[in-house]
Amino acid sequence: MYLLSTEDGALHECSGPHALPHGKHYAILSHVWLESGEQSFQELKAIIAKGAGLGQAAKNKWLWKRPTPLVNGGVLNKLKTSSREFARLEGYAWVWIDSCCIDKTSSAELSEAINSMYAWYAAADVCFAYLADVSDEEDPNAPDSQFRRSRWFTRGWTLQELIAPQILFFISRDWCLLGTKTTLAPLVEEITGIDRAILTHQRRLDSVSVARRMSWASRRKTTRIEDKAYSLLGIFGIHMATIYGEGENAFLRLQEEILKRVPDQSILLW
């Protein structure tokens, strides 16, 4: 897997979230993927290669400031903006974005990434949860707020991306701060059903019953059937092979692994 430099846009191969040189830190992005697709690792590499022969100033302009027609312009503009913002944060030399920092053409790398995804989010200094459907002027606590209805709270993968990071900032579509996971913990608990003590890391995740953890994911959706199981691996501390094409069997395998490794029979009530 790779980290993206916030200084020059270079990709840095990294064996794991704790493999960075001493003193180096990274930020991480959480977002809902577009139905039309996301910018891939290969597309990002192609963009970087096109700017390789330029001077640094021109290269930065090419990478982060040029018009972006790919994927309706949305993904690359989001990537550009997030990288620019992260670069301003002192000490954050790197940013990890799941949509373009994993070579998904490699089944081995994809499986490793899925099994270590929770660890990547947990080890990040800060997570920026980008809510593309929430405006800058939004009051998250309003009874019918866009924040309450954001798709980010309905997707399978964002469950672990919400729980794992110690520090999480909720960001609006134009990169304005809406609040943090700590300051909005009562509201996020109301939206998701996740205890605020879990959200703020005042209580260990493994102290919550299997059945309750399963309930947090019950109304969340994933594009691929298999991801209903794969997106929960970190929530239960499970590692298992990913086999796209196995369908509902992925969830059966997850349940079997939980029964083997977690001393909690409440899953039988699920």
Side-chain angles (χ1 to χ4, degrees), residues 187-198:
L187 175 58
V188 175
E189 179 182 34
E190 180 184 338
I191 295 169
T192 64
I194 302 170
D195 313 64
R196 71 187 70 177
I198 294 296

Side-chain angles (χ1 to χ4, degrees), residues 1-6 9-12 14 26-34 37-42 44-45 48 63-64 74-87 93-104 109-110 113 117 120-121 124 126-130 161 175:
M1 289 172 287
Y2 297 80
L3 286 166
L4 186 66
S5 170
T6 58
L11 283 165
H12 171 76
C14 187
Y26 70 94
I28 200 163
L29 181 69
S30 172
H31 67 293
V32 175
W33 286 27
L34 296 177
E38 290 278 337
Q39 183 193 28
S40 69
F41 172 77
Q42 284 71 28
L44 179 57
K45 282 190 70 176
I48 292 172
L63 286 171
W64 313 122
V75 178
L76 287 182
N77 282 332
K78 180 170 58 182
L79 174 60
K80 172 189 68 177
T81 306
S82 66
S83 299
R84 186 172 67 243
E85 293 300 319
F86 290 146
W94 307 98
V95 59
W96 196 81
I97 305 173
D98 59 356
S99 55
C100 60
C101 289
I102 304 169
D103 182 1
K104 299 178 185 66
E109 181 168 326
L110 179 58
M117 193 80 69
W120 277 96
Y121 279 89
V126 60
C127 175
F128 284 72
Y130 178 74
E161 295 166 14
W175 292 89

Side-chain angles (χ1 to χ4, degrees), residues 243-261:
I243 310 169
Y244 282 101
E246 68 173 325
E248 296 289 355
N249 189 60
F251 200 82
L252 294 176
R253 289 199 298 123
L254 172 64
Q255 291 175 305
E256 290 173 356
E257 291 299 321
I258 291 173
L259 284 169
K260 288 178 188 175
R261 304 182 190 189

Side-chain angles (χ1 to χ4, degrees), residues 175-193:
W175 292 89
C176 291
L177 178 64
L178 296 166
T180 71
K181 182 168 67 167
T182 300
T183 61
L184 293 174
L187 175 58
V188 175
E189 179 182 34
E190 180 184 338
I191 295 169
T192 64

Side-chain angles (χ1 to χ4, degrees), residues 114 117 155-161 222 227 230-231 244:
I114 289 173
M117 193 80 69
R155 305 304 296 172
W157 285 106
T158 56
L159 175 60
Q160 64 177 359
E161 295 166 14
T222 59
D227 285 338
Y230 302 159
S231 62
Y244 282 101

